[in-house]
Amino acid sequence: MSPARMQTFASVDGVREAVRGWRACAQTVVLVPTMGNLHRGHLELVQLAARVADRVVVSIFVNPTQFGAGEDFERYPRTPREDEAALESSGVVDAVFAPHVDQMYPFGIGDAVRIALPPLAHELCGASRPGHFDGVGTVVCRLLNAVTPDALVLGRKDYQQLVLVERMVADLRLPVRVISGPTVRDADGLAMSSRNRYLDAEERVRAPALPRALQAVKRALETGRRDFATLEQSAMRALREAGFEPDYVAIRRAADLGQPSGQEAAAELLVLGAARLGAARLIDNTSD
Ligand code: AMP
């Protein structure tokens, strides 16, 4: 259903009311949560969303509770006008939900009710970003409660986030279907990310070494190798040689990000990595 006009809501009551109206007409609703500074990766998720429900809501909220002390919350790129224009010209967005922090955390950040996710939240990216995924769980719960969608669309670019949100939805029996979309990449293989703008020109040229290193591990798995630690360490070495400071390269079970036993087929395995390059912390995985 193509929207007559995209509406923008800053309040929970406003967006909830719009969704209530649609549901009263038996229309289904999908939410695409973002932190804004939209790129083609986000816009592909929006198009995917439009194929799974009658009405598309995109949220734009830079969530303070998922940033650690000393992380980039303050300087995270905020481009609300460009974002609204891009969503409007997508032609498929019915509503933008762009709340102020007071709408999302009415009792303040310090006194907020929080989600504590299972132990996977403290591994991989969670090991270098303490509290990050609990902040993601907290805001996703609040966004679901505000928008009350039938479906939620997330990118596989943030694979650990996807697995943890799927788990939260299943464990809390939240009445929402989680749908994932593929990672959209630049021509040289670098996954699109709002944080790529922290790279200078020279770093940007080197950045595709991250997807290349992860793909090299994936190919080794496909040839039958199961010496996981050696493969992970050699990818980390390749990244250091390319000027990165890797946080981790890890081979995990794709289904739940658990530690693999070595008996899995290559298709059941996923290679994930995170590494700093200059001022940017880049993440990627081999799901797409
Ligand atoms: P963000 O604005 O970075 O919080 O991302 C919002 C949503 O877009 C998340 O579900 C991300 O996984 C997804 N996303 C970010 N980058 C990409 C990309 N390059 N391709 C596909 N989805 C992406």
Side-chain angles (χ1 to χ4, degrees), residues 40-260:
R40 200 156 50 78
H42 298 113
L43 296 173
E44 294 282 329
L45 292 185
V46 167
Q47 294 297 334
L48 169 62
R51 296 195 290 273
V52 304
D54 301 314
R55 297 288 186 172
V56 176
V57 180
V58 177
S59 63
I60 299 178
F61 181 62
V62 184
N63 171 40
T65 66
Q66 71 189 72
F67 288 80
E71 289 190 351
D72 57 346
F73 175 67
E74 302 295 341
R75 69 188 171 109
Y76 194 85
R78 290 160 171 88
T79 52
R81 263 192 294 278
E82 290 87 338
D83 293 346
E84 284 207 27
L87 294 173
E88 178 89 65
S89 51
S90 77
V92 298
V93 177
D94 295 272
V96 176
F97 177 46
H100 187 265
V101 69
D102 301 345
Q103 277 294 305
M104 294 306 288
Y105 295 99
F107 291 90
I109 302 297
D111 285 344
V113 171
R114 288 172 189 258
I115 292 286
L117 292 169
L120 172 63
H122 310 294
E123 301 175 24
L124 304 170
C125 281
S128 21
R129 302 189 68 190
H132 167 66
F133 287 114
D134 287 351
V136 169
T138 297
V139 78
V140 170
C141 226
R142 285 162 189 266
L143 288 167
L144 291 174
N145 191 44
V147 178
T148 65
D150 302 283
L152 175 70
V153 170
L154 299 174
R156 291 195 288 274
K157 152 103 177 3
D158 298 275
Y159 198 94
Q160 188 178 6
Q161 167 174 285
L162 170 66
V163 168
L164 284 165
V165 170
E166 282 174 337
R167 169 63 79 87
M168 178 180 78
V169 164
D171 196 9
L172 298 182
R173 306 272 204 272
L174 299 178
V176 67
R177 191 156 63 100
V178 181
I179 294 163
S180 73
T183 303
V184 177
R185 297 175 182 281
D186 281 333
D188 61 4
L190 181 66
M192 289 188 171
S193 166
S194 307
R195 291 190 165 99
N196 291 352
R197 64 167 54 195
Y198 300 152
L199 300 168
D200 67 24
E202 185 265 327
E203 289 160 353
R204 176 63 192 79
V205 171
R206 275 188 292 143
L210 176 61
R212 276 201 301 272
L214 303 185
Q215 286 297 333
V217 175
K218 183 182 173 171
R219 281 195 303 276
L221 294 170
E222 284 165 354
T223 67
R225 283 185 59 181
R226 292 293 181 272
D227 47 343
F228 298 140
T230 308
L231 292 170
E232 290 166 352
Q233 281 155 21
S234 74
M236 301 263 284
R237 198 172 328 112
L239 287 172
R240 278 191 204 98
E241 280 162 11
F244 288 76
E245 286 173 54
D247 281 347
Y248 67 88
V249 172
I251 301 162
R252 292 290 177 106
R253 292 195 302 252
D256 58 3
L257 293 184
Q259 295 282 358

Side-chain angles (χ1 to χ4, degrees), residues 258-279:
Q259 295 282 358
S261 67
Q263 302 305 307
E264 296 83 1
E268 295 172 275
L269 298 171
L270 190 69
V271 190
L272 307 99
R276 287 164 211 280
L277 182 60

